[in-house]
Amino acid sequence: IFVQDYPGERGTFTACAERLDHIADLGFTALEIMPVMAADKQKGWGYTPRFFFAVEPRFGNEEQLCHLVDEA
């Protein structure tokens, strides 16, 4: 999934976590999250990270990312 384009509370880890049931109902059993590292550009795919261990603030914080991973 590309967090930035996910519906709901647009573009956040929280919005993704809230829709995991929908993804499971579609028959998916695995989830790949596109890069979530803090990037140099305002909008982008996350392939130009500023710091590999920093989460892009537009998507949420580290705790919200961990919650998404735990829920998945």
Side-chain angles (χ1 to χ4, degrees):
I1 60 174
F2 187 34
V3 175
Q4 175 174 305
D5 288 340
Y6 219 75
E9 186 185 326
R10 189 148 177 93
T12 65
F13 299 128
T14 302
C16 294
E18 291 171 354
R19 302 278 296 179
L20 289 174
D21 288 340
H22 175 71
I23 292 171
D25 289 345
L26 292 172
F28 291 97
T29 59
L31 184 69
E32 180 178 355
I33 303 172
M34 292 185 68
V36 297
M37 289 109 38
D40 286 334
K41 299 178 181 177
Q42 273 298 57
K43 289 260 190 189
W45 292 84
Y47 293 111
T48 55
R50 287 191 310 246
F51 184 64
F52 282 100
F53 300 107
V55 175
E56 175 59 50
R58 292 178 294 130
F59 301 158
N61 58 38
E62 291 85 3
E63 290 81 22
Q64 292 165 326
L65 174 59
C66 288
H67 176 72
L68 171 59
V69 170
D70 290 343
E71 290 295 309

